[in-house]
Amino acid sequence: DTAVSQTPKYLVTQMGNDKSIKCEQNLGHDTMYWYKQDSKKFLKIMFSYNNKELIINETVPNRFSPKSPDKAHLNLHINSLELGDSAVYFCASSHPRTGGSYNEQFFGPGTRLTVL
Amino acid sequence: SQKIEQNSEALNIQEGKTATLTCNYTNYSPAYLQWYRQDPGRGPVFLLLIRENEKEKRKERLKVTFDTTLKQSLFHITASQPADSATYLCALLGRGNTGKLIFGQGTTLQVKP
């Protein structure tokens, strides 16, 4: 029944570790996104994939690497975690409508990452 | 650089009143403007979209206006209910098909019974 799901919901780890967050959508959408929401609640786009192809790559450290094995999945791998990476990470998906990119986006429940 | 401003102070209103939230932007000409609702510990949920050539959009108790001259959108909730208490985010979408949304920081609405 879940539209966009993420695992894990909480992730607590030490500085320097490598971790992954997984995202899956069962909406049949072509496009998936990763967002970061910081402590001030700003939601900022990091990456976007359309049909497994990277289309948005914002100014994000190259320690962050998205991977899309198929159009229903978009995972986020983070190397050498730093304190500043602590945030809530949201996955989202959308399907552009014909005649324009309306892009109503459907968000997952978020993954709260805490780096100690 | 592009900037979106929403009132960072919480908005407290009495049940039954109309809540009005403001979204101002600079250095951008969005083709679309969207409003999302976010509850604590959850992801944003899409509410409404308005296009640059539309002045007003309604959906049940919700109304959105879009003034591209003032670079401002107003979001109204009429006959507000305690269940409307949440953070409301405005987001701008440009032309093209990248789907890149630029979000404001949101305004928290508290409706008191």
Side-chain angles (χ1 to χ4, degrees), chain A residues 23-59:
Chain A
C23 177
E24 177 181 0
Q25 56 94 4
N26 62 6
L27 297 166
H29 288 164
D30 293 334
T31 308
M32 296 184 72
Y33 311 81
W34 276 111
Y35 287 87
K36 178 180 180 181
Q37 189 168 44
D38 61 24
S39 57
K40 293 184 179 178
K41 304 299 183 187
F42 270 105
L43 194 62
K44 192 169 181 186
I45 191 162
M46 301 171 68
F47 302 104
S48 171
Y49 270 75
N50 179 266
N51 280 321
K52 303 195 296 174
E53 182 183 346
L54 181 67
I55 57 171
I56 296 175
N57 185 354
E58 291 295 290
T59 310

PDB file of all heavy atoms in Angstrom, chain A residues 23-59:
ATOM      1  N   CYS A  23      15.483   3.597  -1.098  1.00  0.00           N
ATOM      2  CA  CYS A  23      14.177   4.172  -1.409  1.00  0.00           C
ATOM      3  C   CYS A  23      13.525   3.367  -2.521  1.00  0.00           C
ATOM      4  O   CYS A  23      14.176   3.004  -3.512  1.00  0.00           O
ATOM      5  CB  CYS A  23      14.316   5.638  -1.828  1.00  0.00           C
ATOM      6  SG  CYS A  23      12.747   6.390  -2.314  1.00  0.00           S
ATOM      7  N   GLU A  24      12.231   3.131  -2.352  1.00  0.00           N
ATOM      8  CA  GLU A  24      11.465   2.413  -3.364  1.00  0.00           C
ATOM      9  C   GLU A  24      10.118   3.089  -3.544  1.00  0.00           C
ATOM     10  O   GLU A  24       9.500   3.521  -2.564  1.00  0.00           O
ATOM     11  CB  GLU A  24      11.255   0.957  -2.932  1.00  0.00           C
ATOM     12  CG  GLU A  24      10.396   0.145  -3.893  1.00  0.00           C
ATOM     13  CD  GLU A  24      10.181  -1.294  -3.434  1.00  0.00           C
ATOM     14  OE1 GLU A  24      10.710  -1.661  -2.368  1.00  0.00           O
ATOM     15  OE2 GLU A  24       9.499  -2.024  -4.154  1.00  0.00           O
ATOM     16  N   GLN A  25       9.651   3.181  -4.780  1.00  0.00           N
ATOM     17  CA  GLN A  25       8.305   3.703  -5.028  1.00  0.00           C
ATOM     18  C   GLN A  25       7.537   2.717  -5.892  1.00  0.00           C
ATOM     19  O   GLN A  25       8.087   2.127  -6.821  1.00  0.00           O
ATOM     20  CB  GLN A  25       8.367   5.112  -5.658  1.00  0.00           C
ATOM     21  CG  GLN A  25       9.168   5.237  -6.941  1.00  0.00           C
ATOM     22  CD  GLN A  25       8.381   5.103  -8.216  1.00  0.00           C
ATOM     23  OE1 GLN A  25       7.154   4.983  -8.186  1.00  0.00           O
ATOM     24  NE2 GLN A  25       9.072   5.118  -9.355  1.00  0.00           N
ATOM     25  N   ASN A  26       6.237   2.563  -5.550  1.00  0.00           N
ATOM     26  CA  ASN A  26       5.385   1.633  -6.302  1.00  0.00           C
ATOM     27  C   ASN A  26       4.296   2.378  -7.073  1.00  0.00           C
ATOM     28  O   ASN A  26       3.221   1.828  -7.327  1.00  0.00           O
ATOM     29  CB  ASN A  26       4.787   0.584  -5.356  1.00  0.00           C
ATOM     30  CG  ASN A  26       3.892   1.203  -4.284  1.00  0.00           C
ATOM     31  OD1 ASN A  26       3.620   2.402  -4.303  1.00  0.00           O
ATOM     32  ND2 ASN A  26       3.430   0.384  -3.363  1.00  0.00           N
ATOM     33  N   LEU A  27       4.609   3.640  -7.414  1.00  0.00           N
ATOM     34  CA  LEU A  27       3.633   4.483  -8.106  1.00  0.00           C
ATOM     35  C   LEU A  27       3.797   4.435  -9.620  1.00  0.00           C
ATOM     36  O   LEU A  27       3.031   5.075 -10.339  1.00  0.00           O
ATOM     37  CB  LEU A  27       3.776   5.937  -7.619  1.00  0.00           C
ATOM     38  CG  LEU A  27       3.472   6.129  -6.130  1.00  0.00           C
ATOM     39  CD1 LEU A  27       3.955   7.498  -5.665  1.00  0.00           C
ATOM     40  CD2 LEU A  27       1.983   5.977  -5.870  1.00  0.00           C
ATOM     41  N   GLY A  28       4.846   3.761 -10.064  1.00  0.00           N
ATOM     42  CA  GLY A  28       5.094   3.714 -11.502  1.00  0.00           C
ATOM     43  C   GLY A  28       5.665   5.008 -12.059  1.00  0.00           C
ATOM     44  O   GLY A  28       5.609   5.260 -13.261  1.00  0.00           O
ATOM     45  N   HIS A  29       6.229   5.848 -11.177  1.00  0.00           N
ATOM     46  CA  HIS A  29       6.785   7.132 -11.609  1.00  0.00           C
ATOM     47  C   HIS A  29       8.123   6.949 -12.315  1.00  0.00           C
ATOM     48  O   HIS A  29       8.856   5.990 -12.078  1.00  0.00           O
ATOM     49  CB  HIS A  29       6.968   8.064 -10.410  1.00  0.00           C
ATOM     50  CG  HIS A  29       5.674   8.569  -9.868  1.00  0.00           C
ATOM     51  ND1 HIS A  29       5.579   9.141  -8.612  1.00  0.00           N
ATOM     52  CD2 HIS A  29       4.432   8.610 -10.387  1.00  0.00           C
ATOM     53  CE1 HIS A  29       4.323   9.504  -8.405  1.00  0.00           C
ATOM     54  NE2 HIS A  29       3.609   9.187  -9.462  1.00  0.00           N
ATOM     55  N   ASP A  30       8.417   7.946 -13.185  1.00  0.00           N
ATOM     56  CA  ASP A  30       9.674   7.899 -13.930  1.00  0.00           C
ATOM     57  C   ASP A  30      10.817   8.591 -13.213  1.00  0.00           C
ATOM     58  O   ASP A  30      11.978   8.323 -13.490  1.00  0.00           O
ATOM     59  CB  ASP A  30       9.510   8.614 -15.279  1.00  0.00           C
ATOM     60  CG  ASP A  30       8.564   7.891 -16.198  1.00  0.00           C
ATOM     61  OD1 ASP A  30       8.425   6.670 -16.046  1.00  0.00           O
ATOM     62  OD2 ASP A  30       7.968   8.550 -17.070  1.00  0.00           O
ATOM     63  N   THR A  31      10.483   9.512 -12.330  1.00  0.00           N
ATOM     64  CA  THR A  31      11.505  10.376 -11.749  1.00  0.00           C
ATOM     65  C   THR A  31      11.538  10.228 -10.238  1.00  0.00           C
ATOM     66  O   THR A  31      10.495  10.195  -9.586  1.00  0.00           O
ATOM     67  CB  THR A  31      11.237  11.853 -12.123  1.00  0.00           C
ATOM     68  OG1 THR A  31      11.084  11.958 -13.532  1.00  0.00           O
ATOM     69  CG2 THR A  31      12.394  12.740 -11.680  1.00  0.00           C
ATOM     70  N   MET A  32      12.744  10.140  -9.703  1.00  0.00           N
ATOM     71  CA  MET A  32      12.928  10.045  -8.254  1.00  0.00           C
ATOM     72  C   MET A  32      13.960  11.060  -7.800  1.00  0.00           C
ATOM     73  O   MET A  32      14.830  11.468  -8.572  1.00  0.00           O
ATOM     74  CB  MET A  32      13.359   8.620  -7.861  1.00  0.00           C
ATOM     75  CG  MET A  32      12.285   7.582  -8.171  1.00  0.00           C
ATOM     76  SD  MET A  32      12.709   5.920  -7.636  1.00  0.00           S
ATOM     77  CE  MET A  32      12.548   6.076  -5.846  1.00  0.00           C
ATOM     78  N   TYR A  33      13.846  11.464  -6.531  1.00  0.00           N
ATOM     79  CA  TYR A  33      14.667  12.550  -5.998  1.00  0.00           C
ATOM     80  C   TYR A  33      15.188  12.197  -4.609  1.00  0.00           C
ATOM     81  O   TYR A  33      14.568  11.431  -3.871  1.00  0.00           O
ATOM     82  CB  TYR A  33      13.830  13.831  -5.841  1.00  0.00           C
ATOM     83  CG  TYR A  33      13.000  14.229  -7.022  1.00  0.00           C
ATOM     84  CD1 TYR A  33      11.767  13.626  -7.253  1.00  0.00           C
ATOM     85  CD2 TYR A  33      13.427  15.226  -7.890  1.00  0.00           C
ATOM     86  CE1 TYR A  33      10.986  13.996  -8.338  1.00  0.00           C
ATOM     87  CE2 TYR A  33      12.638  15.605  -8.975  1.00  0.00           C
ATOM     88  CZ  TYR A  33      11.431  14.986  -9.187  1.00  0.00           C
ATOM     89  OH  TYR A  33      10.651  15.360 -10.254  1.00  0.00           O
ATOM     90  N   TRP A  34      16.289  12.840  -4.250  1.00  0.00           N
ATOM     91  CA  TRP A  34      16.752  12.861  -2.862  1.00  0.00           C
ATOM     92  C   TRP A  34      16.816  14.314  -2.413  1.00  0.00           C
ATOM     93  O   TRP A  34      17.362  15.175  -3.112  1.00  0.00           O
ATOM     94  CB  TRP A  34      18.139  12.232  -2.701  1.00  0.00           C
ATOM     95  CG  TRP A  34      18.087  10.742  -2.568  1.00  0.00           C
ATOM     96  CD1 TRP A  34      18.521   9.816  -3.467  1.00  0.00           C
ATOM     97  CD2 TRP A  34      17.575  10.001  -1.455  1.00  0.00           C
ATOM     98  NE1 TRP A  34      18.298   8.552  -3.000  1.00  0.00           N
ATOM     99  CE2 TRP A  34      17.719   8.628  -1.763  1.00  0.00           C
ATOM    100  CE3 TRP A  34      16.999  10.355  -0.220  1.00  0.00           C
ATOM    101  CZ2 TRP A  34      17.313   7.617  -0.893  1.00  0.00           C
ATOM    102  CZ3 TRP A  34      16.591   9.346   0.640  1.00  0.00           C
ATOM    103  CH2 TRP A  34      16.763   7.996   0.296  1.00  0.00           C
ATOM    104  N   TYR A  35      16.247  14.559  -1.212  1.00  0.00           N
ATOM    105  CA  TYR A  35      16.280  15.866  -0.581  1.00  0.00           C
ATOM    106  C   TYR A  35      16.939  15.741   0.790  1.00  0.00           C
ATOM    107  O   TYR A  35      16.857  14.709   1.433  1.00  0.00           O
ATOM    108  CB  TYR A  35      14.863  16.401  -0.353  1.00  0.00           C
ATOM    109  CG  TYR A  35      14.135  16.860  -1.579  1.00  0.00           C
ATOM    110  CD1 TYR A  35      13.398  15.960  -2.354  1.00  0.00           C
ATOM    111  CD2 TYR A  35      14.147  18.201  -1.962  1.00  0.00           C
ATOM    112  CE1 TYR A  35      12.713  16.383  -3.478  1.00  0.00           C
ATOM    113  CE2 TYR A  35      13.456  18.633  -3.081  1.00  0.00           C
ATOM    114  CZ  TYR A  35      12.749  17.722  -3.824  1.00  0.00           C
ATOM    115  OH  TYR A  35      12.059  18.154  -4.934  1.00  0.00           O
ATOM    116  N   LYS A  36      17.521  16.848   1.225  1.00  0.00           N
ATOM    117  CA  LYS A  36      18.058  16.939   2.581  1.00  0.00           C
ATOM    118  C   LYS A  36      17.309  18.040   3.318  1.00  0.00           C
ATOM    119  O   LYS A  36      17.173  19.152   2.787  1.00  0.00           O
ATOM    120  CB  LYS A  36      19.558  17.260   2.534  1.00  0.00           C
ATOM    121  CG  LYS A  36      20.210  17.415   3.906  1.00  0.00           C
ATOM    122  CD  LYS A  36      21.697  17.745   3.762  1.00  0.00           C
ATOM    123  CE  LYS A  36      22.363  17.898   5.121  1.00  0.00           C
ATOM    124  NZ  LYS A  36      23.817  18.236   5.002  1.00  0.00           N
ATOM    125  N   GLN A  37      16.814  17.737   4.519  1.00  0.00           N
ATOM    126  CA  GLN A  37      16.153  18.756   5.343  1.00  0.00           C
ATOM    127  C   GLN A  37      17.000  18.972   6.588  1.00  0.00           C
ATOM    128  O   GLN A  37      17.157  18.070   7.404  1.00  0.00           O
ATOM    129  CB  GLN A  37      14.733  18.337   5.720  1.00  0.00           C
ATOM    130  CG  GLN A  37      13.944  19.462   6.374  1.00  0.00           C
ATOM    131  CD  GLN A  37      12.462  19.151   6.484  1.00  0.00           C
ATOM    132  OE1 GLN A  37      12.072  18.046   6.849  1.00  0.00           O
ATOM    133  NE2 GLN A  37      11.617  20.127   6.165  1.00  0.00           N
ATOM    134  N   ASP A  38      17.523  20.174   6.712  1.00  0.00           N
ATOM    135  CA  ASP A  38      18.424  20.454   7.832  1.00  0.00           C
ATOM    136  C   ASP A  38      17.650  20.843   9.082  1.00  0.00           C
ATOM    137  O   ASP A  38      16.412  20.836   9.092  1.00  0.00           O
ATOM    138  CB  ASP A  38      19.441  21.537   7.450  1.00  0.00           C
ATOM    139  CG  ASP A  38      18.783  22.855   7.086  1.00  0.00           C
ATOM    140  OD1 ASP A  38      17.647  23.114   7.534  1.00  0.00           O
ATOM    141  OD2 ASP A  38      19.404  23.634   6.336  1.00  0.00           O
ATOM    142  N   SER A  39      18.377  21.187  10.110  1.00  0.00           N
ATOM    143  CA  SER A  39      17.751  21.481  11.409  1.00  0.00           C
ATOM    144  C   SER A  39      16.856  22.716  11.353  1.00  0.00           C
ATOM    145  O   SER A  39      15.962  22.872  12.178  1.00  0.00           O
ATOM    146  CB  SER A  39      18.824  21.669  12.479  1.00  0.00           C
ATOM    147  OG  SER A  39      19.707  22.706  12.083  1.00  0.00           O
ATOM    148  N   LYS A  40      17.078  23.584  10.362  1.00  0.00           N
ATOM    149  CA  LYS A  40      16.228  24.771  10.215  1.00  0.00           C
ATOM    150  C   LYS A  40      15.043  24.490   9.303  1.00  0.00           C
ATOM    151  O   LYS A  40      14.339  25.406   8.894  1.00  0.00           O
ATOM    152  CB  LYS A  40      17.056  25.939   9.668  1.00  0.00           C
ATOM    153  CG  LYS A  40      18.099  26.424  10.640  1.00  0.00           C
ATOM    154  CD  LYS A  40      18.837  27.630  10.114  1.00  0.00           C
ATOM    155  CE  LYS A  40      19.873  28.099  11.133  1.00  0.00           C
ATOM    156  NZ  LYS A  40      20.656  29.244  10.636  1.00  0.00           N
ATOM    157  N   LYS A  41      14.865  23.226   8.949  1.00  0.00           N
ATOM    158  CA  LYS A  41      13.710  22.761   8.174  1.00  0.00           C
ATOM    159  C   LYS A  41      13.770  23.101   6.693  1.00  0.00           C
ATOM    160  O   LYS A  41      12.793  22.892   5.983  1.00  0.00           O
ATOM    161  CB  LYS A  41      12.384  23.282   8.758  1.00  0.00           C
ATOM    162  CG  LYS A  41      12.195  22.928  10.218  1.00  0.00           C
ATOM    163  CD  LYS A  41      12.178  21.440  10.446  1.00  0.00           C
ATOM    164  CE  LYS A  41      11.909  21.098  11.894  1.00  0.00           C
ATOM    165  NZ  LYS A  41      12.054  19.647  12.161  1.00  0.00           N
ATOM    166  N   PHE A  42      14.917  23.653   6.233  1.00  0.00           N
ATOM    167  CA  PHE A  42      15.021  23.895   4.794  1.00  0.00           C
ATOM    168  C   PHE A  42      15.136  22.560   4.065  1.00  0.00           C
ATOM    169  O   PHE A  42      15.961  21.709   4.412  1.00  0.00           O
ATOM    170  CB  PHE A  42      16.248  24.738   4.476  1.00  0.00           C
ATOM    171  CG  PHE A  42      15.979  26.204   4.490  1.00  0.00           C
ATOM    172  CD1 PHE A  42      16.404  26.992   5.548  1.00  0.00           C
ATOM    173  CD2 PHE A  42      15.291  26.812   3.455  1.00  0.00           C
ATOM    174  CE1 PHE A  42      16.148  28.345   5.571  1.00  0.00           C
ATOM    175  CE2 PHE A  42      15.040  28.167   3.466  1.00  0.00           C
ATOM    176  CZ  PHE A  42      15.474  28.930   4.520  1.00  0.00           C
ATOM    177  N   LEU A  43      14.317  22.388   3.056  1.00  0.00           N
ATOM    178  CA  LEU A  43      14.309  21.177   2.255  1.00  0.00           C
ATOM    179  C   LEU A  43      15.027  21.495   0.948  1.00  0.00           C
ATOM    180  O   LEU A  43      14.566  22.330   0.173  1.00  0.00           O
ATOM    181  CB  LEU A  43      12.865  20.761   1.987  1.00  0.00           C
ATOM    182  CG  LEU A  43      12.570  19.378   1.458  1.00  0.00           C
ATOM    183  CD1 LEU A  43      13.022  18.320   2.442  1.00  0.00           C
ATOM    184  CD2 LEU A  43      11.079  19.232   1.198  1.00  0.00           C
ATOM    185  N   LYS A  44      16.144  20.829   0.717  1.00  0.00           N
ATOM    186  CA  LYS A  44      16.951  21.167  -0.447  1.00  0.00           C
ATOM    187  C   LYS A  44      17.205  19.943  -1.307  1.00  0.00           C
ATOM    188  O   LYS A  44      17.588  18.883  -0.789  1.00  0.00           O
ATOM    189  CB  LYS A  44      18.283  21.771   0.008  1.00  0.00           C
ATOM    190  CG  LYS A  44      19.063  22.413  -1.110  1.00  0.00           C
ATOM    191  CD  LYS A  44      20.230  23.216  -0.592  1.00  0.00           C
ATOM    192  CE  LYS A  44      20.957  23.852  -1.771  1.00  0.00           C
ATOM    193  NZ  LYS A  44      22.179  24.535  -1.362  1.00  0.00           N
ATOM    194  N   ILE A  45      17.010  20.094  -2.610  1.00  0.00           N
ATOM    195  CA  ILE A  45      17.210  18.960  -3.499  1.00  0.00           C
ATOM    196  C   ILE A  45      18.691  18.638  -3.618  1.00  0.00           C
ATOM    197  O   ILE A  45      19.545  19.525  -3.621  1.00  0.00           O
ATOM    198  CB  ILE A  45      16.585  19.212  -4.885  1.00  0.00           C
ATOM    199  CG1 ILE A  45      16.568  17.916  -5.700  1.00  0.00           C
ATOM    200  CG2 ILE A  45      17.319  20.336  -5.623  1.00  0.00           C
ATOM    201  CD1 ILE A  45      15.628  17.944  -6.860  1.00  0.00           C
ATOM    202  N   MET A  46      18.968  17.335  -3.695  1.00  0.00           N
ATOM    203  CA  MET A  46      20.351  16.880  -3.877  1.00  0.00           C
ATOM    204  C   MET A  46      20.517  16.276  -5.265  1.00  0.00           C
ATOM    205  O   MET A  46      21.390  16.659  -6.036  1.00  0.00           O
ATOM    206  CB  MET A  46      20.694  15.837  -2.829  1.00  0.00           C
ATOM    207  CG  MET A  46      20.564  16.319  -1.391  1.00  0.00           C
ATOM    208  SD  MET A  46      20.735  14.988  -0.202  1.00  0.00           S
ATOM    209  CE  MET A  46      22.444  14.551  -0.400  1.00  0.00           C
ATOM    210  N   PHE A  47      19.689  15.292  -5.565  1.00  0.00           N
ATOM    211  CA  PHE A  47      19.800  14.552  -6.826  1.00  0.00           C
ATOM    212  C   PHE A  47      18.419  14.244  -7.380  1.00  0.00           C
ATOM    213  O   PHE A  47      17.430  14.192  -6.650  1.00  0.00           O
ATOM    214  CB  PHE A  47      20.503  13.200  -6.609  1.00  0.00           C
ATOM    215  CG  PHE A  47      21.879  13.283  -6.033  1.00  0.00           C
ATOM    216  CD1 PHE A  47      22.103  12.983  -4.693  1.00  0.00           C
ATOM    217  CD2 PHE A  47      22.955  13.644  -6.819  1.00  0.00           C
ATOM    218  CE1 PHE A  47      23.376  13.043  -4.147  1.00  0.00           C
ATOM    219  CE2 PHE A  47      24.230  13.714  -6.293  1.00  0.00           C
ATOM    220  CZ  PHE A  47      24.436  13.412  -4.953  1.00  0.00           C
ATOM    221  N   SER A  48      18.397  14.010  -8.696  1.00  0.00           N
ATOM    222  CA  SER A  48      17.191  13.517  -9.335  1.00  0.00           C
ATOM    223  C   SER A  48      17.577  12.562 -10.457  1.00  0.00           C
ATOM    224  O   SER A  48      18.542  12.810 -11.183  1.00  0.00           O
ATOM    225  CB  SER A  48      16.374  14.682  -9.889  1.00  0.00           C
ATOM    226  OG  SER A  48      15.318  14.197 -10.690  1.00  0.00           O
ATOM    227  N   TYR A  49      16.803  11.485 -10.561  1.00  0.00           N
ATOM    228  CA  TYR A  49      17.000  10.505 -11.628  1.00  0.00           C
ATOM    229  C   TYR A  49      15.707  10.374 -12.407  1.00  0.00           C
ATOM    230  O   TYR A  49      14.628  10.331 -11.824  1.00  0.00           O
ATOM    231  CB  TYR A  49      17.354   9.130 -11.040  1.00  0.00           C
ATOM    232  CG  TYR A  49      18.827   8.900 -10.854  1.00  0.00           C
ATOM    233  CD1 TYR A  49      19.515   9.513  -9.819  1.00  0.00           C
ATOM    234  CD2 TYR A  49      19.526   8.053 -11.711  1.00  0.00           C
ATOM    235  CE1 TYR A  49      20.877   9.305  -9.642  1.00  0.00           C
ATOM    236  CE2 TYR A  49      20.883   7.827 -11.542  1.00  0.00           C
ATOM    237  CZ  TYR A  49      21.555   8.460 -10.508  1.00  0.00           C
ATOM    238  OH  TYR A  49      22.895   8.250 -10.335  1.00  0.00           O
ATOM    239  N   ASN A  50      15.833  10.285 -13.722  1.00  0.00           N
ATOM    240  CA  ASN A  50      14.694  10.005 -14.575  1.00  0.00           C
ATOM    241  C   ASN A  50      15.007   8.756 -15.381  1.00  0.00           C
ATOM    242  O   ASN A  50      15.967   8.732 -16.149  1.00  0.00           O
ATOM    243  CB  ASN A  50      14.398  11.190 -15.500  1.00  0.00           C
ATOM    244  CG  ASN A  50      13.221  10.919 -16.418  1.00  0.00           C
ATOM    245  OD1 ASN A  50      13.386  10.470 -17.539  1.00  0.00           O
ATOM    246  ND2 ASN A  50      12.030  11.191 -15.935  1.00  0.00           N
ATOM    247  N   ASN A  51      14.198   7.711 -15.189  1.00  0.00           N
ATOM    248  CA  ASN A  51      14.447   6.446 -15.886  1.00  0.00           C
ATOM    249  C   ASN A  51      15.912   5.999 -15.761  1.00  0.00           C
ATOM    250  O   ASN A  51      16.559   5.672 -16.746  1.00  0.00           O
ATOM    251  CB  ASN A  51      14.069   6.537 -17.361  1.00  0.00           C
ATOM    252  CG  ASN A  51      12.586   6.381 -17.575  1.00  0.00           C
ATOM    253  OD1 ASN A  51      11.936   5.571 -16.911  1.00  0.00           O
ATOM    254  ND2 ASN A  51      12.048   7.163 -18.478  1.00  0.00           N
ATOM    255  N   LYS A  52      16.394   6.033 -14.551  1.00  0.00           N
ATOM    256  CA  LYS A  52      17.749   5.583 -14.185  1.00  0.00           C
ATOM    257  C   LYS A  52      18.851   6.531 -14.657  1.00  0.00           C
ATOM    258  O   LYS A  52      20.032   6.226 -14.501  1.00  0.00           O
ATOM    259  CB  LYS A  52      18.041   4.172 -14.688  1.00  0.00           C
ATOM    260  CG  LYS A  52      17.078   3.107 -14.212  1.00  0.00           C
ATOM    261  CD  LYS A  52      17.600   1.710 -14.435  1.00  0.00           C
ATOM    262  CE  LYS A  52      17.768   1.389 -15.894  1.00  0.00           C
ATOM    263  NZ  LYS A  52      18.402   0.073 -16.122  1.00  0.00           N
ATOM    264  N   GLU A  53      18.488   7.679 -15.229  1.00  0.00           N
ATOM    265  CA  GLU A  53      19.507   8.621 -15.694  1.00  0.00           C
ATOM    266  C   GLU A  53      19.550   9.832 -14.777  1.00  0.00           C
ATOM    267  O   GLU A  53      18.516  10.431 -14.465  1.00  0.00           O
ATOM    268  CB  GLU A  53      19.179   9.068 -17.120  1.00  0.00           C
ATOM    269  CG  GLU A  53      20.199  10.017 -17.714  1.00  0.00           C
ATOM    270  CD  GLU A  53      19.799  10.498 -19.098  1.00  0.00           C
ATOM    271  OE1 GLU A  53      18.889   9.899 -19.690  1.00  0.00           O
ATOM    272  OE2 GLU A  53      20.403  11.475 -19.573  1.00  0.00           O
ATOM    273  N   LEU A  54      20.751  10.232 -14.357  1.00  0.00           N
ATOM    274  CA  LEU A  54      20.924  11.384 -13.473  1.00  0.00           C
ATOM    275  C   LEU A  54      20.585  12.666 -14.230  1.00  0.00           C
ATOM    276  O   LEU A  54      21.160  12.944 -15.279  1.00  0.00           O
ATOM    277  CB  LEU A  54      22.367  11.431 -12.980  1.00  0.00           C
ATOM    278  CG  LEU A  54      22.728  12.556 -12.013  1.00  0.00           C
ATOM    279  CD1 LEU A  54      22.011  12.377 -10.686  1.00  0.00           C
ATOM    280  CD2 LEU A  54      24.234  12.608 -11.798  1.00  0.00           C
ATOM    281  N   ILE A  55      19.633  13.462 -13.709  1.00  0.00           N
ATOM    282  CA  ILE A  55      19.273  14.707 -14.379  1.00  0.00           C
ATOM    283  C   ILE A  55      19.497  15.928 -13.506  1.00  0.00           C
ATOM    284  O   ILE A  55      19.595  17.035 -14.009  1.00  0.00           O
ATOM    285  CB  ILE A  55      17.820  14.687 -14.911  1.00  0.00           C
ATOM    286  CG1 ILE A  55      16.812  14.401 -13.792  1.00  0.00           C
ATOM    287  CG2 ILE A  55      17.670  13.691 -16.024  1.00  0.00           C
ATOM    288  CD1 ILE A  55      15.370  14.596 -14.234  1.00  0.00           C
ATOM    289  N   ILE A  56      19.503  15.783 -12.200  1.00  0.00           N
ATOM    290  CA  ILE A  56      19.830  16.892 -11.304  1.00  0.00           C
ATOM    291  C   ILE A  56      20.936  16.419 -10.376  1.00  0.00           C
ATOM    292  O   ILE A  56      20.834  15.370  -9.756  1.00  0.00           O
ATOM    293  CB  ILE A  56      18.626  17.345 -10.461  1.00  0.00           C
ATOM    294  CG1 ILE A  56      17.517  17.906 -11.329  1.00  0.00           C
ATOM    295  CG2 ILE A  56      19.055  18.398  -9.433  1.00  0.00           C
ATOM    296  CD1 ILE A  56      16.258  18.268 -10.560  1.00  0.00           C
ATOM    297  N   ASN A  57      21.976  17.225 -10.303  1.00  0.00           N
ATOM    298  CA  ASN A  57      23.066  16.924  -9.388  1.00  0.00           C
ATOM    299  C   ASN A  57      23.499  18.253  -8.795  1.00  0.00           C
ATOM    300  O   ASN A  57      24.270  18.988  -9.401  1.00  0.00           O
ATOM    301  CB  ASN A  57      24.213  16.249 -10.149  1.00  0.00           C
ATOM    302  CG  ASN A  57      25.333  15.799  -9.216  1.00  0.00           C
ATOM    303  OD1 ASN A  57      25.317  16.085  -8.018  1.00  0.00           O
ATOM    304  ND2 ASN A  57      26.295  15.097  -9.750  1.00  0.00           N
ATOM    305  N   GLU A  58      22.922  18.597  -7.656  1.00  0.00           N
ATOM    306  CA  GLU A  58      23.218  19.877  -7.036  1.00  0.00           C
ATOM    307  C   GLU A  58      24.616  19.854  -6.416  1.00  0.00           C
ATOM    308  O   GLU A  58      25.299  18.841  -6.441  1.00  0.00           O
ATOM    309  CB  GLU A  58      22.165  20.199  -5.978  1.00  0.00           C
ATOM    310  CG  GLU A  58      20.799  20.498  -6.581  1.00  0.00           C
ATOM    311  CD  GLU A  58      20.798  21.748  -7.431  1.00  0.00           C
ATOM    312  OE1 GLU A  58      20.918  22.863  -6.877  1.00  0.00           O
ATOM    313  OE2 GLU A  58      20.665  21.623  -8.670  1.00  0.00           O
ATOM    314  N   THR A  59      24.998  20.982  -5.865  1.00  0.00           N
ATOM    315  CA  THR A  59      26.338  21.070  -5.277  1.00  0.00           C
ATOM    316  C   THR A  59      26.378  20.256  -4.002  1.00  0.00           C
ATOM    317  O   THR A  59      26.073  20.744  -2.914  1.00  0.00           O
ATOM    318  CB  THR A  59      26.680  22.553  -4.972  1.00  0.00           C
ATOM    319  OG1 THR A  59      26.424  23.324  -6.126  1.00  0.00           O
ATOM    320  CG2 THR A  59      28.134  22.679  -4.566  1.00  0.00           C
TER     321      THR A  59
END
